[in-house]
Amino acid sequence: VRGWAQADPLPSWNDGEAKRKIIEFVERVTTPGEAGFAPPAERIATFDNDGTLWSEQPAYFQLLFVLDQIRDLAPQHPEWKTKQPFASALKGDMKTVMAGGARSIAPLLAATHTGMTTEEFSRRVGAWIETARHPATGKLYTEMAYQPMLELLAYFRANGFKTFIVSGGGVEFMRVFAERVYGIAPEQIIGTSGKLKFEIREGKPVMVKLPELFFFDDKEAKPVAIQQQIGRRPLAAFGNSDGDLAMLQWTAAGGGERLPVFIRHTDSVREWAYDRQSKIGKLDKGLDEAAASGWLVVSMKDDWKRIFAFEK
Amino acid sequence: VRGWAQADPLPSWNDGEAKRKIIEFVERVTTPGEAGFAPPAERIATFDNDGTLWSEQPAYFQLLFVLDQIRDLAPQHPEWKTKQPFASALKGDMKTVMAGGARSIAPLLAATHTGMTTEEFSRRVGAWIETARHPATGKLYTEMAYQPMLELLAYFRANGFKTFIVSGGGVEFMRVFAERVYGIAPEQIIGTSGKLKFEIREGKPVMVKLPELFFFDDKEAKPVAIQQQIGRRPLAAFGNSDGDLAMLQWTAAGGGERLPVFIRHTDSVREWAYDRQSKIGKLDKGLDEAAASGWLVVSMKDDWKRIFAFEK
Ligand SMILES: [Ca+2]
Ligand SMILES: [Ca+2]
């Protein structure tokens, strides 16, 4: 295999089937004359974010941002002390908040994600992401990006791929850090989004974040968003949950050389271990289809030499 | 000015204020140390399509595609002979069709743009765009792209800009030819779109075009779409009608070096002349704001040496 003779492009991956299959795929689609050769314009790779590029435990990091924001905004909202779901959120009683499901989380999202301009929201996310610490590791959230995936993103780009995020997370949230952390530009990030309103305030146009959902980028909506916004079928797609299954199916069905991949959380020591029974990042149907279709399933425990850059 | 000493990047533009302002803008944002310097990642330029990159008379070309499709599909729909708006469309009686406005055109759009997979639709557009001829010039529609704008797109890209289309036209329609004609990749095309449905047919995923509108990319929706899909404010934006005014306002308000431009249809001999009173591509409020704000207004008659490549 050509890549092995040169500097290892994936040093945080253990030698084994996963690393070999990934490198063989990249070499096949980039070598002129190979049956699977794809011109650079067609080299599209899509990546889920939470649980695929960075961790998602004990809760999606964007939800932890919401809780931190609620705490920061509480002095301006004395009524929150007695009003649900704010009261529980302020007490850190996530069990009560989560028990109410989406209906319970919606007011928290509205209070922290809407009613402001897109610029103001970006400033808030920027201030948070630079200082907030993960409750279990004490690390910055951006330090909890997976080192093997950062190497893989760079390796794909070095081979002419355009790398896109296609995530259920908020697009305006991810764009604040994705370019710096993942090397993925704002225009290559697809996510869940709320409606925006363009209006002129004191002679100056602003973009206001409205409390209505515009697009929820999960499950079947992922390939739909890929078609709407990219307009080309990916050659490779990486996910970690059943929410990515449709994206991987759409990718695999393109014919020719394709690489649909699930990242499986198997390392309870260095990261977390969960799949079929998990409330966050449930991977159940996806495992069945991967087995039936021969898709690559990466085991974080077995295939990754190092998970985070901060590990020794 | 640096650019003039070298090979002329805009040979189909007459020497004059428009050409000079465009070249000066590009030099200022790309010269390190200049106050307006922008790193490559921020070099975003957005372009309306109809009337800005190609002609839009005597009707939007996509509407002419619709009428040709209705004619092609008529043998499978004998009921259309007596059913409106199909009967008028088949007779070429556009006056009656257009008199009904959007309500009248919707069934024609639905019959030609929905109920099929995205791949089937692309095939149909592809077959049409390769053979259909413009009713006035007899040229292929793709030959009616403006040569000065093709040069400008290439000039911007040669200077590190990413060029995007932001159009009221259908995104799936434009993607069929925009890469070949304009050099603009599918993932850099934003337009009006219908809802899509991902479904598994006989074990194979397909994307079906539904008859419901997803996003109508005109007026205030243009900067909204830019924020949703690009996530960065353009440094330059080109349009030709009031439908582009909000996009140009949003661009201009970014501060620093910005280039909001209207292309004005002033050449009744080589192209068409229309603005404040036109039903297609009405440019009225936009002209007022351009005058008030000192935006560049390009006159096709005065500023373009050649409009179409097929001119001698
Ligand atoms: Ca995930
Ligand atoms: Ca236009």
Side-chain angles (χ1 to χ4, degrees), chain A residues 60-88:
Chain A
Y60 292 126
F61 293 176
Q62 193 171 357
L63 183 58
L64 301 175
F65 163 74
V66 167
L67 297 177
D68 285 350
Q69 287 283 294
I70 293 287
R71 219 167 292 133
D72 288 355
L73 295 168
Q76 299 153 51
H77 296 274
E79 75 280 10
W80 285 356
K81 274 184 204 148
T82 54
K83 192 177 165 188
Q84 290 296 8
F86 299 96
S88 295

Side-chain angles (χ1 to χ4, degrees), chain B residues 254-303:
Chain B
E257 202 66 45
R258 304 277 163 171
L259 186 70
V261 180
F262 276 122
I263 306 297
R264 190 172 182 182
H265 293 261
T266 50
D267 197 320
S268 62
V269 176
R270 297 183 300 169
E271 211 245 0
W272 285 268
Y274 55 95
D275 45 41
R276 292 186 190 270
Q277 308 298 329
S278 180
K279 281 193 179 176
I280 296 173
K282 178 177 179 171
L283 179 61
D284 181 39
K285 286 183 195 162
L287 279 181
D288 295 340
E289 178 139 352
S293 303
W295 296 347
L296 177 59
V297 178
V298 170
S299 162
M300 293 175 72
K301 181 175 178 183
D302 304 310
D303 293 319

Side-chain angles (χ1 to χ4, degrees), chain B residues 162-179:
Chain B
K162 275 194 177 179
T163 53
F164 286 81
I165 289 177
V166 180
S167 165
V171 66
E172 304 254 1
F173 179 80
M174 294 183 283
R175 279 177 177 153
V176 175
F177 57 86
E179 191 159 33

Side-chain angles (χ1 to χ4, degrees), chain A residues 48-52 56 60 167-168 222 239-241 244 265 281:
Chain A
D48 169 60
N49 184 39
D50 298 306
T52 298
E56 59 184 351
Y60 292 126
S167 165
K222 288 199 173 194
N240 78 303
S241 81
D244 302 306
H265 293 262

